[in-house]
Amino acid sequence: MAIVRGCQLPDDLFYHVDSNVWARLESDGSIIVGMTAYACSLAGQLVAATPKKIGKEIEQKQTICTVESGKWVGPIKAPVSGQLIEINEPAIDKPTLINEDPYGRGWVAKIQPKRWDVEKASLVTGAEIAAVFEAKMNTDGFGGC
Amino acid sequence: MSADIDNVQPMQFYRPDYHIKTPDMRSPEYVQMSTAAAITLGLIPGKMHRTACTHCLNLLVTYPEGCRANCAYCGLARHREEARDYADRNFIRVDWPTVRFSDVIARVQAGADRGQFQRMCISMITHPNSDADTIILLQQWMAALPQIPVSILSNPTTMEKADLIELRRLGAEIFTVALDAATPTLFERTRGKSVDSPHRWEKYWQAIEWASEVFGPERFGVHLIGGLGETEQEILSICQRIKTMGGHNHMFAFYPEQGSLMEDWPAVPHDQWRRIQLARFIIDYAGGTIQNMIFNTFGQVIDFGLPTARLAEIIHSGKPFQTSGCPGSDDTEISACNRPYGDSSPSDILSFPFTLNALDVEFVKNQMINKPL
């Protein structure tokens, strides 16, 4: 587990750093997607989440869900291309779940990737995570979770 | 091992948390601060939709007993005391963290706002100590940061004219009164005896007249909430009255505050809100008057009383649809107090906390005529 400026970033996940989302490869080849703790901290307590429809084909960095807090509204972007095959309904119904447990019960969507072997190269995982997010937080002027 | 209570450091910052016992914090040692101000000062992480900061440091006096009024639309209302401690209550849609006032001053002196704050505002509440503590807060601020002007959002119910004179003498620049409701009937139903609240229409108007006299033209203002049940003509009549007295009108869209007595009421209709925003701006800044406006039988504005080209110019500036309030140092027609998303969600903006672009203006124009978006 990497902890950068108080934000937890599990090192077994894959991160699309620009989009501030994580991906976890499942045994059936699908990937689970969610917001990082850092993204949740920036957004504030979420009050609404509106996902795209299941079955939709999505390219990498396209929006899979729009989330809203008291002061901000913005997208959760796909870390890789693929088809949206499942939405985490409990998190959509109660978006604060995303804030409370971003890497667990607060996952957002499941994607069946179409170019995982290629696109995973654009994601960050393992030992690289801390340095890359430290640089991002520095660029963003982020004080910490 | 025993705890050494002499070494316990006073709390500097409290972010509302319903899962722990709320600390005992009271003004003048502590104040509450808007979420936008806390983000701007770097006290809490966060980002705001299409804007990086607020230009007004909005502070609120705070007491564990809370506000003793019970206004039907307000998140701070007394009726919530059984459900939520005062410092944990949401107000204009967001939490208000509590901070030691000395720390606020130290942070602004150190430039934590990156020079963004053009104004500070002390919001009073209905509490026996609110008047005296506001004086103390004002004195401390003026001693430390006199270059950032101060507005007072008053609580007329507990104030006398001498209080206004004292605030003016100590350096307060602008005095505002949150009339909120545009008619005596609506005022009574939302803030008066009907909801077991102490405010009286006549007392509020007395304070506005004192403000006009003590603070003078351009140095007093009135808060009005659009969408409490008044007609457009009724709220604009108040705007005109205030303008004629020499003051300005600070408009808020009615947004049902979670936990308030009116949480299930509908928000102000978009078309109504856009028209009163535009008409308010025309009255306050564009030389128009309500006497030149035409209203239909429902009290809706159907003619703003300006030549078509002039009206189009004003609309295209986008200024009427930005948050209204006390001015900053950049533009007297634009409020420093931009209150990001204080009266709407960021996905359906009613008061824009930033300069509108062409697409925003087109969006607003369609809303004004109720054109499907």
Side-chain angles (χ1 to χ4, degrees), chain A residues 22 88 90-92 94 97-98 100-108:
Chain A
W22 56 265
N88 182 12
I92 300 305
K94 188 187 172 214
L97 205 54
I98 301 173
E100 290 163 10
D101 192 9
Y103 304 112
R105 292 174 305 136
W107 64 275
V108 175

Side-chain angles (χ1 to χ4, degrees), chain A residues 41-42 68 70-73 142 144, chain B residues 45-47 49 93 340 345 347:
Chain A
S41 181
L42 280 175
E68 182 177 330
K71 299 282 182 197
W72 178 79
V73 60
F142 178 70
Chain B
K47 55 184 172 183
H49 182 58
R93 301 187 67 253
S345 75
S347 59

Side-chain angles (χ1 to χ4, degrees), chain B residues 135 138-139 160-172 214-215:
Chain B
I135 295 273
L138 174 63
Q139 286 175 310
E160 296 301 329
K161 187 176 180 183
D163 298 317
L164 278 70
I165 294 168
E166 181 68 353
L167 288 165
R168 183 80 190 96
R169 188 184 70 79
L170 293 172
V214 173
F215 282 79

Side-chain angles (χ1 to χ4, degrees), chain B residues 61-75:
Chain B
V61 293
T62 188
Y63 308 97
E65 309 83 50
C67 183
R68 307 322 294 156
N70 203 34
C71 303
Y73 48 83
C74 184

Side-chain angles (χ1 to χ4, degrees), chain B residues 150-228:
Chain B
V150 177
S151 293
I152 303 292
L153 175 53
S154 66
N155 173 43
T157 297
T158 59
M159 298 182 81
E160 296 301 329
K161 187 176 180 183
D163 298 317
L164 278 70
I165 294 168
E166 181 68 353
L167 288 165
R168 183 80 190 96
R169 188 184 70 79
L170 293 172
E173 185 187 64
I174 293 179
F175 186 88
T176 62
V177 173
L179 186 65
D180 292 351
T183 72
T185 302
L186 281 174
F187 187 99
E188 202 283 323
R189 285 181 186 164
T190 56
R191 319 195 64 189
K193 289 177 185 168
S194 295
V195 287
D196 198 19
S197 198
H199 302 316
R200 302 289 176 265
W201 174 262
E202 295 76 16
K203 177 68 178 171
Y204 270 61
W205 275 100
Q206 185 182 49
I208 294 167
E209 285 164 11
W210 288 339
S212 160
E213 187 183 329
V214 173
F215 282 79
E218 312 289 326
R219 291 286 180 262
F220 73 98
V222 168
H223 287 198
L224 292 164
I225 301 177
L228 286 177

Side-chain angles (χ1 to χ4, degrees), chain A residues 66-89:
Chain A
T66 301
V67 287
E68 182 177 330
S69 64
K71 299 282 182 197
W72 178 79
V73 60
I76 299 175
K77 293 180 177 175
V80 291
S81 309
Q83 185 181 39
L84 193 58
I85 58 173
E86 191 177 340
I87 293 296
N88 182 12
E89 293 295 345

Side-chain angles (χ1 to χ4, degrees), chain B residues 42-64:
Chain B
L43 283 163
I44 59 174
K47 55 184 172 183
M48 294 180 275
H49 182 58
R50 293 179 62 183
T51 187
C53 61
T54 179
H55 298 295
C56 183
L57 174 58
N58 281 311
L59 304 179
L60 185 65
V61 293
T62 188
Y63 308 97

